[in-house]
Structure formats: structure tokens, C-alpha cells
Amino acid sequence: MGKREPEIGRIFHALGDPMRRAIVERLRERPHSVSALAGPLKITLTAVGQHLKVLEEAGLVRTEKLGRVRTVRLDAEGFAVLEAWAAEHKGEWARRLDRLGDLLGGE
Amino acid sequence: MGKREPEIGRIFHALGDPMRRAIVERLRERPHSVSALAGPLKITLTAVGQHLKVLEEAGLVRTEKLGRVRTVRLDAEGFAVLEAWAAEHKGEWARRLDRLGDLLGGE
DNA sequence: TTGATAGTGAAGTGAATGCTTCACTAATGA
DNA sequence: TCATTAGTGAAGCATTCACTTCACTATCAA
């Protein structure tokens, strides 16, 4: 339950929340348990769990439960999808500038 | 009024909405008037205006009003910021893999 | 076995979001 | 001049969201 293939809409929505971005930043250093994430963020374990669900469904985070501890780490998949989208939409500008000549002459 | 420097939180929030992504996709082809955007999307002019405000404040779109027509086009600035963020967070993986050796030995 | 510790699930709450309608202004063109 | 077209602003509404509390399960350690 939870894991889905990363879809750009989910990714943007997931990263649109500052708390979830904070979680991502913490995870860049190293994997954390859910409690370890909750501590400095000053929100409840429950809230963190809800954020993690969103991040996991976006493919940005992967979790694994051993005993009673769930370990959370970043998942490259979602970030790869995001990077691809961003690169394509930014790369568009080169093409757009190429087309500028046409626009100046045409419609 | 409206224009702000692109901030990653605004950008993610703006692109988290499917209707706004649809607007962005339409604008990739060419600039459009507000009405031209509203037509195929089947929402009111007002709603489009609200979306454009969000996109503009995120630095993803730029608008210019001539006479009674507001022309909307993509703004490279927001996309550049997004691409930088995405590249950095994806690029993290190389560094992470480098650090893997440490993790296998240490904490 | 018993008492912490780690996390989950359901339900509720207040705030933010996306959208609409209505009323209005400004430009255009017949 | 007068009807049409393009867009804006305010207000209202239903839905989604982020968060909490409370109750509960599972694991670990003494």
C-alpha cells in the first residue's frame, strides 16, 4: 500500500508544502526514522506519517520498516522524473529563441 | 502588483495544479490572450485570471496588456529556478553514492 | 510480564484552494 | 454613439489540506 509510480502532478503537489520540503532537506544528509524527522520539525508523529505518505506516493521517498522503526530515505525515481520535466521545460527556451526569427516575420 | 521574484515554494505550488500545468503547456506553443486560454479549458475567464496571478507570482509566466487584450507568455526565470533546484537535488545522487562507502563502514 | 518506545488509523477542525456568479470598467468597431 | 468584446474585483461555496487528539497495535528492554 502506498507506493505508486511517480507522476509529475503528485511530485509538484508533494513539494509544494514547506514542511515536506523540510523533510526532504533533512533526508539529503542521511536516512531518518519517523521520530527523528518529527522531533526538530515540531509536529506530531502522525503528521509526519501523513507527509511521508504523500512523498512516498510521489516517488520522492522510500521507507522500510524494521522492527518498530520505519526508516525513511530519499528515492531517486521521483527526483529523476522532476529533473526530466524541468530540463525539458527549461530547454524549451533554446528552441523558442530559435523560433523567434519566424515569429518576427510571421503571425 | 503581481510580479515577484521566483521562489521555489511558489513554483511547486503553482505547478501542483493540473489546470495551471495545462495553461503552461498551451503557452509552450506560443503566447495566448486570457480568452484564448480560457476557451479550450472550459473554465471562466475569471478562473483563468486567478491561475495566471499564481503563475505570474511564481515567475513562470509574464503578461502584458495592450488595449483590452492581456497577452500571456512563459517566463524563463521561474523555469530556470525550478531546473536548478531539480538538478541540484537529482545531482545529489552522485554525491550520495560516493558517500556510500562511508556509510557501509560508519554509523 | 510490564512499561516505555515507535508508529498507525480514524475522526474532527480551521484555513486555504479552485471555482462560480454578478457587477463593473475599458477598449473596439459598426 | 452604442453594442460587443476582454478583462477585473468581490463575494460566496464546496472541497481539499495540514494538522491535531485519541485510541490502538507492535516491538523492545528490564
Side-chain angles (χ1 to χ4, degrees), chain A residues 20 27 33-34 40 45 58 60 62 67 80 85-86 89 91-92 95:
Chain A
R20 285 194 287 265
L27 292 174
S33 70
V34 179
L45 265 192
L60 293 164
R62 204 156 26 82
W85 193 97
H89 282 72
E92 187 66 20
R95 268 163 283 162

Side-chain angles (χ1 to χ4, degrees), chain A residues 32-49:
Chain A
H32 285 74
S33 70
V34 179
S35 316
L37 287 172
L41 294 177
K42 286 179 184 160
I43 54 176
T44 53
L45 265 192
T46 307
V48 173

Side-chain angles (χ1 to χ4, degrees), chain B residues 33-35 45-46 65 68-70:
Chain B
S33 70
V34 179
S35 316
L45 264 192
T46 307
K65 193 162 184 176
R68 59 181 168 175
V69 175
R70 176 171 303 278

Side-chain angles (χ1 to χ4, degrees), chain B residues 52-94:
Chain B
L52 291 177
K53 188 178 167 226
V54 173
L55 287 167
E56 188 162 18
E57 287 180 350
L60 294 164
V61 136
R62 203 156 27 83
T63 77
E64 186 189 11
K65 193 162 184 176
L66 279 178
R68 59 181 168 175
V69 175
R70 176 171 303 278
T71 299
V72 188
R73 69 195 68 228
L74 292 182
D75 184 347
E77 213 182 340
F79 287 94
V81 170
L82 173 62
E83 208 272 337
W85 194 97
E88 176 171 338
H89 283 72
K90 192 210 172 195
E92 187 66 19
W93 253 265

